[in-house]
Amino acid sequence: MFRADLHCHSTCSDGALHPLALLELAKTAGLQGISITDHDTIDAYLNHEVFQKDIQVLPGVEFTSIHREKSVHILAYAFSLKDPHIAALSKLHKIRRDERIRKMGSLLQKQGFDIDVEGIVSKNTMPGRPHLAIALFEKGYIRDPKDAFDLYIGDGKKCFVKAEAPSTEETLKIIKQANAVPVIAHPHLIKENKIIKDLLKMDFEGLEVFYGNFPYYHCDKWHRIAKEKNWLATGGSDFHGPIKAHIALGSSYTPEEPFNALLARYEENKLQ
Ligand code: AMP
Ligand code: FE
Ligand code: FE
Ligand code: ZN
Protein backbone atom coordinates (compact mmCIF):
# COMPACT_ATOMS: atom_id res chain seq x y z
CA MET A 1 0.00 0.00 0.00
CA PHE A 2 1.28 3.48 -0.92
CA ARG A 3 2.00 5.73 2.05
CA ALA A 4 3.47 9.23 2.05
CA ASP A 5 4.08 11.00 5.37
CA LEU A 6 3.53 14.67 4.54
CA HIS A 7 4.28 16.17 7.94
CA CYS A 8 7.57 15.80 9.81
CA HIS A 9 10.38 17.95 11.18
CA SER A 10 14.16 17.80 10.80
CA THR A 11 17.09 19.50 12.53
CA CYS A 12 16.46 22.45 10.18
CA SER A 13 13.70 23.36 12.67
CA ASP A 14 12.85 21.53 15.90
CA GLY A 15 13.15 17.88 14.84
CA ALA A 16 15.83 15.56 16.21
CA LEU A 17 16.94 14.01 12.91
CA HIS A 18 19.03 15.48 10.10
CA PRO A 19 17.04 15.59 6.82
CA LEU A 20 19.04 12.68 5.39
CA ALA A 21 18.54 10.58 8.54
CA LEU A 22 14.81 11.33 8.29
CA LEU A 23 14.78 9.99 4.73
CA GLU A 24 16.60 6.82 5.84
CA LEU A 25 14.05 6.31 8.62
CA ALA A 26 11.21 6.87 6.14
CA LYS A 27 12.60 4.18 3.84
CA THR A 28 13.05 1.77 6.75
CA ALA A 29 9.44 2.46 7.76
CA GLY A 30 8.40 1.42 4.23
CA LEU A 31 7.15 4.85 3.13
CA GLN A 32 7.07 5.61 -0.58
CA GLY A 33 6.72 9.36 -0.21
CA ILE A 34 7.60 12.11 2.26
CA SER A 35 7.51 15.84 2.76
CA ILE A 36 9.83 17.38 5.35
CA THR A 37 7.70 20.23 6.68
CA ASP A 38 9.98 22.18 8.97
CA HIS A 39 8.59 25.16 10.85
CA ASP A 40 8.92 28.25 8.65
CA THR A 41 11.97 27.05 6.68
CA ILE A 42 12.74 25.10 3.50
CA ASP A 43 16.43 24.65 4.37
CA ALA A 44 16.09 20.86 4.35
CA TYR A 45 15.62 21.08 0.57
CA LEU A 46 18.22 23.73 -0.15
CA ASN A 47 21.31 22.43 1.58
CA HIS A 48 20.97 18.66 1.42
CA GLU A 49 20.67 15.95 -1.21
CA VAL A 50 17.07 15.08 -0.38
CA PHE A 51 15.85 14.21 -3.86
CA GLN A 52 16.63 10.52 -4.09
CA LYS A 53 15.51 7.71 -6.35
CA ASP A 54 14.14 5.27 -3.78
CA ILE A 55 11.64 7.63 -2.12
CA GLN A 56 9.48 10.40 -3.62
CA VAL A 57 10.14 13.75 -1.99
CA LEU A 58 7.62 16.59 -2.13
CA PRO A 59 8.75 20.06 -1.00
CA GLY A 60 6.76 21.30 1.99
CA VAL A 61 6.88 23.70 4.93
CA GLU A 62 4.73 24.42 8.01
CA PHE A 63 4.16 28.15 8.40
CA THR A 64 3.13 29.73 11.67
CA SER A 65 0.36 32.31 11.28
CA ILE A 66 -1.94 34.23 13.60
CA HIS A 67 -5.73 34.26 13.54
CA ARG A 68 -7.91 35.72 16.31
CA GLU A 69 -4.70 36.11 18.34
CA LYS A 70 -4.04 32.37 18.23
CA SER A 71 -1.28 30.53 16.42
CA VAL A 72 -2.55 28.63 13.36
CA HIS A 73 -0.24 26.29 11.44
CA ILE A 74 -0.50 26.16 7.66
CA LEU A 75 1.18 23.50 5.55
CA ALA A 76 2.31 24.56 2.08
CA TYR A 77 3.37 22.05 -0.55
CA ALA A 78 4.76 21.86 -4.05
CA PHE A 79 6.38 25.31 -4.35
CA SER A 80 9.46 25.87 -6.45
CA LEU A 81 12.55 25.85 -4.23
CA LYS A 82 13.54 29.11 -5.90
CA ASP A 83 10.25 30.87 -5.16
CA PRO A 84 10.96 34.41 -3.87
CA HIS A 85 7.67 34.74 -1.91
CA ILE A 86 8.36 31.65 0.18
CA ALA A 87 11.97 32.80 0.75
CA ALA A 88 10.86 36.26 1.90
CA LEU A 89 8.26 34.88 4.33
CA SER A 90 10.81 32.47 5.74
CA LYS A 91 13.31 35.30 6.26
CA LEU A 92 10.72 37.26 8.21
CA HIS A 93 10.06 34.24 10.44
CA LYS A 94 13.78 33.83 11.10
CA ILE A 95 13.97 37.36 12.50
CA ARG A 96 10.88 37.02 14.71
CA ARG A 97 11.89 33.54 15.95
CA ASP A 98 15.39 34.68 16.99
CA GLU A 99 13.83 37.59 18.86
CA ARG A 100 11.17 35.47 20.56
CA ILE A 101 13.64 32.81 21.72
CA ARG A 102 15.89 35.54 23.14
CA LYS A 103 12.91 36.96 25.08
CA MET A 104 11.81 33.56 26.42
CA GLY A 105 15.43 32.63 27.14
CA SER A 106 15.90 35.77 29.15
CA LEU A 107 12.73 35.04 31.17
CA LEU A 108 14.11 31.55 31.90
CA GLN A 109 17.45 33.03 32.94
CA LYS A 110 15.56 35.36 35.32
CA GLN A 111 14.10 32.20 36.91
CA GLY A 112 17.70 31.21 37.64
CA PHE A 113 18.29 28.78 34.77
CA ASP A 114 21.79 29.00 33.34
CA ILE A 115 21.20 28.26 29.65
CA ASP A 116 23.15 29.41 26.58
CA VAL A 117 20.45 31.31 24.67
CA GLU A 118 22.85 32.87 22.15
CA GLY A 119 24.19 29.38 21.42
CA ILE A 120 20.64 28.20 20.62
CA VAL A 121 20.04 31.18 18.34
CA SER A 122 23.33 30.82 16.48
CA LYS A 123 23.20 27.02 16.08
CA ASN A 124 19.62 26.76 14.82
CA THR A 125 18.17 28.15 11.60
CA MET A 126 14.67 28.26 13.05
CA PRO A 127 14.91 28.19 16.84
CA GLY A 128 11.75 27.18 18.68
CA ARG A 129 10.53 26.37 22.14
CA PRO A 130 11.74 22.74 21.92
CA HIS A 131 15.34 24.01 21.77
CA LEU A 132 14.84 25.80 25.09
CA ALA A 133 13.17 22.68 26.52
CA ILE A 134 16.14 20.53 25.49
CA ALA A 135 18.62 23.05 26.94
CA LEU A 136 16.81 22.92 30.32
CA PHE A 137 16.78 19.13 30.15
CA GLU A 138 20.48 18.85 29.26
CA LYS A 139 21.40 21.09 32.20
CA GLY A 140 19.43 18.76 34.48
CA TYR A 141 16.79 21.31 35.46
CA ILE A 142 13.92 19.06 34.32
CA ARG A 143 13.45 15.29 34.01
CA ASP A 144 11.82 15.33 30.57
CA PRO A 145 11.97 18.07 27.89
CA LYS A 146 8.15 17.99 27.82
CA ASP A 147 8.08 19.25 31.42
CA ALA A 148 9.44 22.59 30.18
CA PHE A 149 6.10 23.19 28.44
CA ASP A 150 4.00 22.27 31.47
CA LEU A 151 6.10 24.35 33.84
CA TYR A 152 7.55 27.33 31.94
CA ILE A 153 7.15 27.78 28.19
CA GLY A 154 3.79 26.21 27.32
CA ASP A 155 1.11 28.66 26.13
CA GLY A 156 0.35 31.15 28.91
CA LYS A 157 3.02 29.81 31.32
CA LYS A 158 5.34 32.22 33.13
CA CYS A 159 8.20 32.26 30.59
CA PHE A 160 5.96 32.09 27.51
CA VAL A 161 6.06 34.85 24.91
CA LYS A 162 3.36 35.01 22.23
CA ALA A 163 4.43 34.48 18.63
CA GLU A 164 3.96 37.53 16.42
CA ALA A 165 3.62 36.02 12.97
CA PRO A 166 1.83 37.30 9.83
CA SER A 167 -1.93 36.68 9.79
CA THR A 168 -3.40 33.49 8.35
CA GLU A 169 -4.88 35.49 5.44
CA GLU A 170 -1.54 37.13 4.66
CA THR A 171 0.27 33.79 4.80
CA LEU A 172 -2.33 32.23 2.53
CA LYS A 173 -1.87 35.04 0.03
CA ILE A 174 1.89 34.44 -0.08
CA ILE A 175 1.43 30.67 -0.54
CA LYS A 176 -0.95 31.39 -3.43
CA GLN A 177 1.57 33.78 -5.00
CA ALA A 178 4.00 30.86 -5.06
CA ASN A 179 1.32 28.66 -6.72
CA ALA A 180 1.89 26.28 -3.79
CA VAL A 181 -0.90 24.20 -2.21
CA PRO A 182 -2.08 25.53 1.18
CA VAL A 183 -3.39 22.92 3.63
CA ILE A 184 -4.87 23.48 7.10
CA ALA A 185 -2.53 21.64 9.49
CA HIS A 186 -3.89 19.38 12.26
CA PRO A 187 -7.47 20.74 12.54
CA HIS A 188 -7.82 18.16 15.35
CA LEU A 189 -5.73 20.43 17.60
CA ILE A 190 -7.66 23.66 17.04
CA LYS A 191 -9.74 24.28 20.15
CA GLU A 192 -11.85 27.29 19.11
CA ASN A 193 -14.79 26.51 16.83
CA LYS A 194 -14.77 30.09 15.56
CA ILE A 195 -11.25 29.61 14.21
CA ILE A 196 -12.19 26.37 12.43
CA LYS A 197 -15.25 28.05 10.93
CA ASP A 198 -13.18 30.97 9.65
CA LEU A 199 -10.45 28.72 8.23
CA LEU A 200 -12.96 26.58 6.36
CA LYS A 201 -14.20 29.73 4.60
CA MET A 202 -10.69 30.69 3.44
CA ASP A 203 -9.05 29.77 0.17
CA PHE A 204 -7.28 26.57 1.27
CA GLU A 205 -6.91 23.60 -1.07
CA GLY A 206 -6.45 20.84 1.46
CA LEU A 207 -7.10 19.66 5.00
CA GLU A 208 -4.73 17.49 7.06
CA VAL A 209 -7.37 14.85 7.69
CA PHE A 210 -5.08 12.07 8.98
CA TYR A 211 -2.84 13.28 11.77
CA GLY A 212 -0.35 11.84 14.26
CA ASN A 213 -1.81 9.07 16.38
CA PHE A 214 -5.43 10.13 15.97
CA PRO A 215 -7.54 7.05 15.23
CA TYR A 216 -9.58 6.89 12.04
CA TYR A 217 -12.94 7.60 13.75
CA HIS A 218 -11.47 10.89 14.91
CA CYS A 219 -10.42 11.79 11.35
CA ASP A 220 -13.69 10.83 9.70
CA LYS A 221 -15.31 14.19 10.39
CA TRP A 222 -12.39 16.02 8.75
CA HIS A 223 -12.44 13.62 5.82
CA ARG A 224 -16.11 14.42 5.21
CA ILE A 225 -15.42 18.15 5.28
CA ALA A 226 -12.51 17.81 2.83
CA LYS A 227 -14.75 15.82 0.46
CA GLU A 228 -17.57 18.38 0.71
CA LYS A 229 -15.21 21.19 -0.12
CA ASN A 230 -13.45 19.24 -2.83
CA TRP A 231 -10.15 19.80 -1.02
CA LEU A 232 -7.25 17.35 -0.86
CA ALA A 233 -7.36 15.06 2.18
CA THR A 234 -3.75 14.81 3.31
CA GLY A 235 -2.09 13.05 6.21
CA GLY A 236 1.11 13.12 8.19
CA SER A 237 2.61 12.14 11.53
CA ASP A 238 4.17 15.45 12.75
CA PHE A 239 7.17 13.35 13.72
CA HIS A 240 9.79 15.32 15.69
CA GLY A 241 11.73 12.68 17.65
CA PRO A 242 12.05 12.54 21.47
CA ILE A 243 10.22 15.84 22.08
CA LYS A 244 7.09 14.02 20.83
CA ALA A 245 8.27 10.51 21.64
CA HIS A 246 4.86 8.87 21.28
CA ILE A 247 4.63 9.75 17.56
CA ALA A 248 6.31 7.52 14.98
CA LEU A 249 7.16 8.53 11.42
CA GLY A 250 4.42 7.20 9.13
CA SER A 251 1.83 6.92 11.93
CA SER A 252 -0.47 8.92 9.62
CA TYR A 253 -0.03 9.23 5.89
CA THR A 254 -1.38 10.48 2.56
CA PRO A 255 -2.63 7.95 -0.01
CA GLU A 256 -1.37 7.78 -3.58
CA GLU A 257 -3.99 9.89 -5.36
CA PRO A 258 -3.68 13.14 -3.38
CA PHE A 259 0.08 12.66 -3.20
CA ASN A 260 0.30 12.44 -6.99
CA ALA A 261 -1.86 15.55 -7.35
CA LEU A 262 0.61 17.44 -5.13
CA LEU A 263 3.61 16.05 -6.97
CA ALA A 264 2.10 17.12 -10.31
CA ARG A 265 1.82 20.69 -8.99
CA TYR A 266 5.47 20.55 -7.97
CA GLU A 267 6.52 19.33 -11.42
CA GLU A 268 4.65 22.32 -12.86
CA ASN A 269 6.16 24.86 -10.43
CA LYS A 270 9.71 23.61 -10.63
CA LEU A 271 9.83 24.37 -14.36
CA GLN A 272 8.91 28.05 -13.86
P1 AMP B 1 7.24 27.30 18.73
O1 AMP B 1 7.14 27.04 17.24
O2 AMP B 1 8.54 27.88 19.13
O3 AMP B 1 6.06 28.04 19.29
O4 AMP B 1 7.18 25.85 19.41
C1 AMP B 1 6.13 24.98 19.09
C2 AMP B 1 6.67 23.58 19.00
O5 AMP B 1 6.91 23.11 20.31
C3 AMP B 1 5.69 22.57 18.39
O6 AMP B 1 5.86 22.46 17.00
C4 AMP B 1 6.11 21.31 19.06
O7 AMP B 1 7.23 20.76 18.40
C5 AMP B 1 6.56 21.74 20.42
N1 AMP B 1 5.54 21.65 21.48
C6 AMP B 1 4.47 22.47 21.69
N2 AMP B 1 3.80 22.11 22.80
C7 AMP B 1 4.44 21.03 23.30
C8 AMP B 1 4.26 20.19 24.43
N3 AMP B 1 3.25 20.41 25.29
N4 AMP B 1 5.13 19.19 24.62
C9 AMP B 1 6.14 18.98 23.76
N5 AMP B 1 6.37 19.73 22.68
C10 AMP B 1 5.55 20.73 22.45
FE1 FE C 1 7.50 21.54 16.20
FE1 FE D 1 1.96 22.25 13.85
ZN1 ZN E 1 4.56 20.11 12.66
Coordinates of all heavy atoms in Angstrom, one line a residue, residues 14 39 73 97 100-101 127-130 146 149-150 240 243-244, ligand 1:
D14 N 12.7 22.1 14.5 CA 12.8 21.5 15.9 C 12.8 20.0 15.9 O 12.5 19.4 17.0 CB 11.8 22.2 16.8 CG 10.4 21.9 16.3 OD1 10.2 21.2 15.3 OD2 9.4 22.5 16.9
H39 N 9.3 23.9 10.5 CA 8.6 25.2 10.8 C 9.3 26.3 10.1 O 10.5 26.6 10.3 CB 8.7 25.4 12.4 CG 8.0 24.4 13.2 ND1 6.6 24.4 13.3 CD2 8.4 23.4 14.0 CE1 6.2 23.4 14.1 NE2 7.3 22.8 14.6
H73 N -1.3 26.8 12.3 CA -0.2 26.3 11.4 C -0.8 26.0 10.1 O -1.9 25.3 10.0 CB 0.4 25.0 12.1 CG 1.3 25.4 13.2 ND1 1.9 24.4 14.0 CD2 1.7 26.6 13.7 CE1 2.7 25.0 14.9 NE2 2.5 26.3 14.8
R97 N 11.6 34.7 15.1 CA 11.9 33.5 16.0 C 13.1 33.8 16.8 O 13.1 33.5 18.0 CB 12.1 32.3 15.1 CG 10.8 31.6 14.8 CD 11.0 30.2 14.1 NE 9.8 29.5 13.9 CZ 9.3 28.7 14.7 NH1 9.8 28.4 15.9 NH2 8.1 28.1 14.4
R100 N 12.1 36.1 19.6 CA 11.2 35.5 20.6 C 11.9 34.5 21.5 O 11.7 34.5 22.7 CB 10.1 34.7 19.8 CG 9.1 34.0 20.7 CD 7.9 33.5 19.9 NE 6.9 32.8 20.7 CZ 6.6 31.5 20.5 NH1 7.3 30.7 19.6 NH2 5.7 30.9 21.3
I101 N 12.9 33.8 20.9 CA 13.6 32.8 21.7 C 14.5 33.6 22.7 O 14.7 33.2 23.9 CB 14.4 31.8 20.8 CG1 13.5 30.9 20.1 CG2 15.5 31.1 21.6 CD1 12.6 30.0 21.0
P127 N 15.0 28.6 15.4 CA 14.9 28.2 16.8 C 13.5 28.2 17.3 O 12.7 29.0 16.8 CB 15.7 29.2 17.6 CG 15.8 30.4 16.7 CD 15.7 29.9 15.3
G128 N 13.1 27.3 18.2 CA 11.8 27.2 18.7 C 11.8 26.8 20.1 O 12.9 26.5 20.7
R129 N 10.6 26.7 20.7 CA 10.5 26.4 22.1 C 11.2 25.0 22.5 O 11.8 24.9 23.5 CB 9.1 26.4 22.6 CG 8.6 27.8 22.8 CD 7.2 27.8 23.3 NE 6.2 27.6 22.2 CZ 4.9 27.3 22.4 NH1 4.5 27.2 23.7 NH2 4.1 27.2 21.4
P130 N 11.1 24.0 21.6 CA 11.7 22.7 21.9 C 13.2 22.9 22.2 O 13.8 22.1 23.0 CB 11.5 21.9 20.7 CG 10.2 22.4 20.2 CD 10.3 23.9 20.4
K146 N 9.6 17.6 27.8 CA 8.1 18.0 27.8 C 7.7 18.8 29.0 O 6.9 19.7 29.0 CB 7.3 16.7 27.8 CG 7.0 16.2 26.4 CD 6.0 15.1 26.4 CE 4.6 15.6 26.5 NZ 4.1 16.2 25.2
F149 N 7.3 22.6 28.9 CA 6.1 23.2 28.4 C 5.1 23.3 29.6 O 4.4 24.3 29.7 CB 5.5 22.4 27.3 CG 6.3 22.6 26.0 CD1 7.4 21.8 25.7 CD2 5.9 23.5 25.1 CE1 8.1 22.0 24.5 CE2 6.7 23.7 23.9 CZ 7.8 22.9 23.6
D150 N 5.0 22.3 30.4 CA 4.0 22.3 31.5 C 4.4 23.3 32.5 O 3.5 23.9 33.1 CB 3.9 20.9 32.1 CG 3.5 19.8 31.1 OD1 2.7 20.2 30.2 OD2 3.9 18.6 31.3
H240 N 8.7 14.4 15.3 CA 9.8 15.3 15.7 C 11.0 14.6 16.3 O 12.1 15.0 16.2 CB 9.3 16.3 16.8 CG 8.5 17.5 16.3 ND1 7.2 17.4 15.9 CD2 8.8 18.8 16.3 CE1 6.8 18.6 15.6 NE2 7.7 19.5 15.8
I243 N 11.1 14.8 21.5 CA 10.2 15.8 22.1 C 8.7 15.4 22.0 O 7.9 15.8 22.8 CB 10.5 17.2 21.5 CG1 9.8 18.4 22.3 CG2 10.1 17.4 20.0 CD1 10.6 18.9 23.3
K244 N 8.4 14.6 21.0 CA 7.1 14.0 20.8 C 7.3 12.5 20.7 O 7.0 12.0 19.6 CB 6.4 14.6 19.6 CG 5.9 16.0 19.8 CD 5.0 16.5 18.6 CE 4.6 18.0 18.8 NZ 3.9 18.5 17.7
Ligands
AMP1 P1 7.2 27.3 18.7 O1 7.1 27.0 17.2 O2 8.5 27.9 19.1 O3 6.1 28.0 19.3 O4 7.2 25.9 19.4 C1 6.1 25.0 19.1 C2 6.7 23.6 19.0 O5 6.9 23.1 20.3 C3 5.7 22.6 18.4 O6 5.9 22.5 17.0 C4 6.1 21.3 19.1 O7 7.2 20.8 18.4 C5 6.6 21.7 20.4 N1 5.5 21.7 21.5 C6 4.5 22.5 21.7 N2 3.8 22.1 22.8 C7 4.4 21.0 23.3 C8 4.3 20.2 24.4 N3 3.3 20.4 25.3 N4 5.1 19.2 24.6 C9 6.1 19.0 23.8 N5 6.4 19.7 22.7 C10 5.6 20.7 22.5

